[in-house]
Amino acid sequence: MNNRIERLRELCTNKGLDGFIVTKPENRLYFSGFCGSSGLLLVTGNDAKLLTDFRYVTQAQSQAPDFEIVRHGVAILKTLGQTASNLEVKKLGFEMDYVTWADYQAMERELSGIELIPCRVDELRMMKDEAEITALKRAVFIADQAFSHILKYIRPGMTEREVALELEYTMRRLGAEKSAFDIIVASGVRSSLPHGIASEKIIANGDFVTMDFGAVYNGYHSDITRTIIMGQASDKQRQIYEIVLQAQLAGVAAVQPGRTGKQIDEVSRSIITNAGYGNYFGHGLGHGVGLNIHEEPRLSPGGDTMLEAAMTVTVEPGIYIPEWGGVRIEDTVVVVSAGCEVLTASSKQLIQVER
C-alpha cells in the first residue's frame, strides 16, 4: 500500500496541496486496504489517517496498517476538520467526480479556513500491480467457468432470468463475492439491446443469446460477453457473428502500449463500418476494469489516454439490429510490453447449442 500512498502524495505536491481526503469507497479501499462501508482517508505529506466509527475500528486496524485509525463521533466532518487543523492543512484536495454538491457544502462549513481543491485521483488506479492482476485473473477465471457451466445448462423454454440466476449462483459457488453488475441475458430480438438486462422472455430455438456478466473477487471485477445461438444458425446470423468476431480479434491485436483508446477503437470500428453495419455499433470498444466495472482508460472515439503496460481493459465490439437481434463478443485483457495478454479463456467461435 505504501507505493499507492506515495503516488497520492506526489499528486498533492504537483497540485500544491497540503493533503487529500478520500471518500469514494473504491479509492478508500485502494489506498488503505479498508473495505468497511463508512470512513474517509486524510493523507498529508507526513501523515495518513483513516477516520471511521465505532463499528469499524478493529477492522480498520487490521486492514489498514499504514494508517492511524481515528474514531470519529456523531459527525465525521467535524472530526475531519479538527484533525486537518491539527495537521496545519490549508489546501485540501477532494474527489471532484465523486463528492456531491451537498457534501461539498457540508465540508465547507466544517473545514473553516481550509481551501478545498477539486482533483481527480481515479487515474492513479489505471496501472495495476501484481496483486491486482492476480485478483483480476481469478475473477476472469470464475466467469469463464460459469460460462462453461451455462453451456450445459441452457435450453429452449428457459427464461432469460433463469439463465442469469444460474450464472450468478455458479459464480458465487466458485468463490465470487458477488456479480460484477446486473447480468445481461438478451435473446432473440432482445439481443439487439446492448444492455438488455435479463427478462421473463422465453429463450427459443433460432435465438441469438447474448450473455454479459462478470465476477467480483477481492474487490476486482471481470467482464465477459459471449453470444451463442440456440439450434442452427441462419446464414445472416453467421455473417453478423463473423463480422463482430473479426472486429474483436483485430481490436485485441491492436491493444498495445503507446496507442490511444481512440486509435484502438478505430481498428475494430472500421471493420464493422466497412461491412456496412457502422450505424449498428453505437458504443465504445471497451473500458478499463478493476475496482470498478467501468473505469479509465476508455477505448472509444473520445479515448485520448495512451495505453501503458499493466492497464486492464475490455474489448467488446457489437452489432445490434433492431427487431432482428445482435452480437457482442468481449474479453478482458491486460496490456503488456509486447501487446496484451487475453485473460478471458472462453471460446469465441460461434457456439450452437442444440438440445
Side-chain angles (χ1 to χ4, degrees), residues 16-245:
L17 305 174
D18 301 313
F20 203 97
I21 52 172
V22 176
T23 52
K24 186 175 183 178
E26 294 85 357
N27 289 336
R28 190 174 61 218
L29 173 63
Y30 180 76
F31 290 113
S32 72
F34 174 62
C35 68
S37 64
S38 178
L40 60 79
L41 310 180
L42 173 60
V43 176
T44 69
N46 297 311
D47 293 276
K49 299 182 184 293
L50 193 167
L51 281 61
T52 191
D53 63 51
F54 167 81
R55 298 170 297 169
Y56 293 110
V57 169
T58 301
Q59 177 182 338
Q61 289 169 338
S62 172
Q63 293 182 331
D66 294 324
F67 283 74
E68 178 187 345
I69 310 306
V70 178
R71 176 180 163 184
H72 68 79
V74 175
I76 189 171
L77 290 182
K78 186 174 291 295
T79 303
L80 173 63
Q82 294 166 347
T83 306
S85 178
N86 292 339
L87 295 175
E88 300 182 347
V89 172
K90 300 299 181 186
K91 288 189 175 183
L92 188 61
F94 70 92
E95 299 152 303
M96 61 183 291
D97 48 4
Y98 180 74
V99 173
T100 66
W101 176 242
D103 290 339
Y104 175 78
Q105 289 179 308
M107 287 193 298
E108 273 197 319
R109 287 193 300 269
E110 296 295 342
L111 303 179
S112 178
I114 296 176
E115 184 181 358
L116 296 171
I117 309 295
C119 300
R120 289 189 171 90
V121 296
D122 284 15
E123 284 83 353
L124 297 180
R125 302 202 326 261
M126 285 195 297
M127 310 278 287
K128 305 300 191 289
D129 60 30
E130 186 177 344
E132 291 178 285
I133 291 174
T134 297
L136 277 162
K137 285 182 176 180
R138 186 64 189 181
V140 170
F141 174 79
I142 289 170
D144 275 330
Q145 293 298 108
F147 180 66
S148 295
H149 168 75
I150 215 69
L151 291 177
K152 304 181 187 76
Y153 175 85
I154 193 171
R155 63 191 67 251
M158 286 182 171
T159 67
E160 295 170 347
R161 282 183 180 157
E162 286 178 297
V163 174
L165 180 62
E166 186 68 15
L167 280 168
E168 181 157 6
Y169 169 74
T170 303
M171 289 190 293
R172 294 292 291 268
R173 184 170 50 81
L174 291 169
E177 297 160 25
K178 59 182 178 178
S179 179
F181 48 88
D182 288 338
I183 293 173
I184 294 168
V185 178
S187 61
V189 296
R190 291 191 76 253
S191 60
S192 67
L193 302 175
H195 277 189
I197 300 300
S199 74
E200 291 296 334
K201 180 192 173 298
I202 293 174
I203 296 168
N205 265 317
D207 281 354
F208 267 140
V209 183
T210 296
M211 292 171 279
D212 186 348
F213 58 99
V216 177
Y217 184 81
N218 279 357
Y220 285 83
H221 298 65
S222 61
D223 199 355
I224 175 177
T225 306
R226 290 294 184 266
T227 301
I228 64 173
I229 186 79
M230 301 304 295
Q232 290 288 323
S234 68
D235 290 343
K236 184 173 182 179
Q237 286 173 324
R238 290 180 183 277
Q239 177 198 29
I240 297 298
Y241 191 94
E242 186 62 24
I243 295 168
V244 175
L245 177 59

